[in-house]
Amino acid sequence: MCGIVGYVGPSADTVALDVVMEGLARLEYRGYDSAGVAVIDADGVQMRKRSGKLVNLRDDIAAHPLPPTTTAIGHTRWATHGGPTDANAHPHLGGAEQRLAVIHNGIIENFHSLKTGLIAQGVSFTSETDTEVAAHLLAQAYTQSGDLTAAMLATVAQLDGAFTLLTVHADQPGVVVGARRNSPLVVGLGQGANYLGSDVAAFIGHTRDAMELGQDQIVTITPDSVSVIGFDGTPADGRRYHVDWDAAAAEKGGYPSFMAKEIDEQPHAVADTLLGRTKEEGELVLDELRVSEEALSQVTKIVIVACGTAAYAGMVAKYAIEHWTRIPCEVDLAHEFRYRDPVVDGHTLVVSVSQSGETMDTLMAVKHARELGALTISICNTHGSTIPRESDAVIYTHAGPEIAVASTKAFLAQITACYLLGLYLAQLRGGSSAVEAAAVMRDLREMPAKIQTVLDRMDRVREIARFMADTRSVLFLGRHVGYPVALEGALKLKEIAYIHAEGFAAGELKHGPIALIEPGQPVFVVVPGPDTPHDLHAKIVSNIQEIRARGARTIVVAQDGDEAVVPFADEVIRVPVSAPLLQPLLTVVPLQVFACELAVAKGLDVDQPRNLAKSVTVE
Ligand code: F6R
């Protein structure tokens, strides 16, 4: 989970370095514990690297400027092998003369044995990273072939694991060679200049024409050519596409943080995810779902695999999909799925949910599901990413780039896409399921406006958050689809405000957690609408009374017009009335705003919380 940028341009100037530094700033969300760049000039490889955020590297380059160049690579790191030190920062240099530089995202699993072999040959290492092994192997291979692409081909044949590698050599200015296996790499196609990046944000300020590389491919870019070969040496090609968002979409647009901006973009994220997915008469058409209706109608079981926030979207989906389709649906944390010997066969539909499309745990779960013969559908926000490519079909969420580490708009878009899938399956079943699906679609189309209403009412939530800046623990309760919302509210607070927070199913309280309640303990309660079946509303009102009686400070998220909660609530946060299964799209919003505002009140960096990275591409 590092960010990678490469550039080759027509003339030696400062453009190359500017492009790479700008790309690193846009990719910093992928990892931000150290950063570095390497450029080629007549004297060889010039390198700067610094631990800490990108600003440290920028200051270092300002103090010790780099020469004009045509060829540059840059890296922003999230440490895996070796701590976040200057020495472990990328690039790493290969060969005794240090004329080759490499940057890397991923993990080289067999690096120990490779390193032992290199040391035995007399190679000395300056870092604790797995990457440096690749640098030395590349340098050795270059000595033999005198060609960087051939050196990459020879090197990847020796590596196991997941990796994107970019390399430059002082003897081949104007060339950057990249390779990818189970880790992202896209090509930016410019006019007289070409680019490489972990994602298109790396070069979006310069070109919106991109090329997606396949697994196990090597790409060689020069200012006016892009050529691709497979790891077996045969010529290959990537899929060319035009990026439909621009640089402004990847910047803060006047907001204090990406997270604040992304929370505000949620009505659009949901509306865009719904866009173009129904015919005029309301029938759902999931065009990109390249799985036959026949295969889908034979599905007897659904398993949703995902991690973190995406898994909570999956939990919401379970309630909806089972209700609409009557197909049993399980939700698995992706990293647990393949180790528990899951019961999966050709009639099982495994749905992965992932914003980045690169989460290694989720990717491995999808691969495992395919090995077991399951049909796999990916719900994903990132075009060209690995998980959709490894799945039978994809439903893209159209949330736009999510830069803040804490997921917000992707969560709402994921829930929306899961609803679409559930409604589509219900439509396929026909009869009363199809009639209900059509009615829910009408309700779903009203949700973006309702989310906007919630956002317009957030002043009091912000006040509460600022008032609670010193709070040490917050509990979140919910029932039914409000339960995953409670879990998500707690996760947001933990990850960006570093406050201990727990989410519980409200019915579980008296089985243990109620012992945590002491006078003044803040508890958010996500209340289902009064028309939720099975008297759930009345049951949660009793739960609120139980904790209030023990001194809890209750902050209640309830629908407009729900007066039953008022006597037991210290604060009531109102959301518009909606169908019970669609409520998470509204009730989670105040919890996101609360976490964001509280973290800001504590003076924390909400976009880049400690110890985390946006895209978790290691298991
Ligand atoms: C929390 C958060 C994470 C991600 C999880 C999965 O705010 O963002 O829990 O949801 O790491 O990431 P994706 O969706 O990219 O697979």
Side-chain angles (χ1 to χ4, degrees), residues 39 102 130 155 202 218 239 254 333 358 414 416 452 457 486 508:
V39 305
V102 72
D130 48 347
T155 301
I218 292 172
R239 188 183 69 84
L333 292 171
E358 299 294 346
Q414 285 162 349
T416 306
Q452 188 58 54
R457 295 177 178 174
E508 191 66 8

Side-chain angles (χ1 to χ4, degrees), residues 307-310 353-357 359 362 405-407 414 491-492 495 614 616:
C307 302
T309 291
V353 185
S354 175
Q355 188 287 129
S356 61
T359 300
T362 309
V405 164
S407 189
Q414 285 162 349
L491 176 60
K492 286 286 94 80
E495 69 179 326
K614 182 68 181 160
V616 186

Side-chain angles (χ1 to χ4, degrees), residues 127-335:
S127 78
E128 303 150 318
T129 64
D130 48 347
T131 309
E132 200 180 346
V133 165
H136 292 301
L137 291 176
L138 276 160
Q140 286 185 343
Y142 188 88
T143 309
Q144 277 160 24
S145 64
D147 176 74
L148 206 48
T149 308
M152 185 64 94
L153 196 56
T155 301
V156 294
Q158 302 174 64
L159 306 181
D160 293 334
F163 48 83
T164 299
L165 294 166
L166 294 195
T167 186
V168 290
H169 197 289
D171 296 348
Q172 269 192 285
V175 177
V176 181
V177 177
R180 77 165 286 216
R181 165 173 284 171
N182 287 330
S183 185
L185 181 62
V186 281
V187 186
L189 306 165
Q191 302 287 332
N194 285 306
Y195 310 80
L196 293 169
S198 299
D199 69 44
V200 292
F203 46 73
I204 193 72
H206 305 278
T207 180
R208 288 164 71 180
D209 291 320
M211 189 173 92
E212 182 181 306
L213 287 180
Q215 280 305 356
D216 290 1
Q217 287 187 342
I218 292 172
V219 61
T220 304
I221 62 168
T222 69
D224 41 32
S225 72
V226 173
S227 53
V228 183
I229 55 172
F231 280 9
D232 58 2
T234 55
D237 208 359
R239 188 183 69 84
R240 287 164 193 252
Y241 61 103
H242 187 72
V243 181
D244 58 9
W245 47 274
D246 59 15
E251 287 165 5
K252 286 186 202 160
Y255 283 85
S257 64
F258 280 111
M259 185 175 178
K261 174 172 179 263
E262 289 159 10
I263 289 172
D264 262 15
E265 287 171 345
Q266 295 188 111
H268 281 292
V270 172
D272 291 352
T273 301
L274 292 173
L275 216 60
R277 270 145 177 177
T278 40
K279 289 188 187 161
E280 266 172 29
E281 58 278 21
E283 190 192 338
L284 260 163
V285 273
L286 297 179
D287 274 341
E288 72 268 62
L289 199 63
R290 278 168 265 104
V291 184
S292 71
E293 290 191 359
E294 196 197 344
L296 283 175
S297 49
Q298 285 172 10
V299 165
T300 55
K301 174 177 163 183
I302 298 171
V303 183
I304 300 176
V305 291
C307 302
T309 291
Y312 298 147
M315 285 175 71
V316 172
K318 172 186 161 70
Y319 288 87
I321 291 176
E322 285 191 338
H323 177 76
W324 292 329
T325 67
R326 309 310 301 151
I327 302 172
C329 179
E330 297 169 8
V331 185
D332 254 309
L333 292 171
H335 37 88

Side-chain angles (χ1 to χ4, degrees), residues 330-345:
E330 297 169 8
V331 185
D332 254 309
L333 292 171
H335 37 88
E336 291 294 318
F337 173 74
R338 69 187 174 125
Y339 302 113
R340 71 167 175 86
D341 204 6
V343 182
V344 167
D345 61 21

Side-chain angles (χ1 to χ4, degrees), residues 456-467:
D456 293 343
R457 295 177 178 174
M458 286 297 94
D459 286 351
R460 180 63 190 146
V461 172
R462 291 196 178 91
E463 272 172 27
I464 298 170
R466 289 194 289 271
F467 174 76

